[in-house]
Amino acid sequence: MPEAHNKGFTDYLYETGIKDSYATPGFLGAQIFRRSLTAKIELTLITYWDNLESIKAFAGDDISQARLYPEDGAYELEPDLSVQHYEVIEHQIAPELRG
């Protein structure tokens, strides 16, 4: 997405995808990664779920397709239309970072 949309889109992402994820039973958490490219920003959203059925409750039966929102186009996105799913096999947080 163009760098100029960074702040607005991040706010929009919280009001759409993040908010809807939190409202879905089985949602465990999310992370947003950002990296700067030449005149663009790339955001990656990672979500954590308790099982595939919970993802289906959020995304629909075809969990390999990204869930997009009507106003996404206003941010001049180049969205990935497919979603990759992974099983978390290791998760550690340093003791000093735990809440």
Side-chain angles (χ1 to χ4, degrees):
M1 114 187 79
E3 198 169 326
H5 293 307
N6 179 47
K7 173 72 169 108
F9 181 74
T10 303
D11 292 345
Y12 169 73
L13 181 59
Y14 277 104
E15 288 301 313
T16 56
I18 300 294
K19 187 175 183 180
D20 289 347
S21 295
Y22 269 100
T24 305
F27 177 73
L28 301 175
Q31 294 178 299
I32 301 172
F33 296 90
R34 179 180 65 198
R35 72 178 179 152
S36 295
L37 304 171
T38 304
K40 290 185 177 184
I41 298 292
E42 179 181 88
L43 293 177
T44 299
L45 173 62
I46 307 292
T47 57
Y48 299 93
W49 301 86
D50 63 354
N51 59 51
L52 293 178
E53 290 304 312
S54 297
I55 298 170
K56 285 182 183 179
F58 171 76
D61 287 335
D62 187 355
I63 63 170
S64 69
Q65 296 298 305
R67 180 175 171 180
L68 302 177
Y69 289 84
E71 294 83 23
D72 287 357
Y75 297 94
E76 301 178 72
L77 302 178
E78 298 172 21
D80 287 333
L81 300 178
S82 62
V83 177
Q84 304 299 313
H85 297 277
Y86 298 87
E87 179 182 354
V88 176
I89 60 171
E90 178 67 28
H91 174 77
Q92 292 187 24
I93 298 175
E96 63 272 11
L97 298 177
R98 293 182 191 151

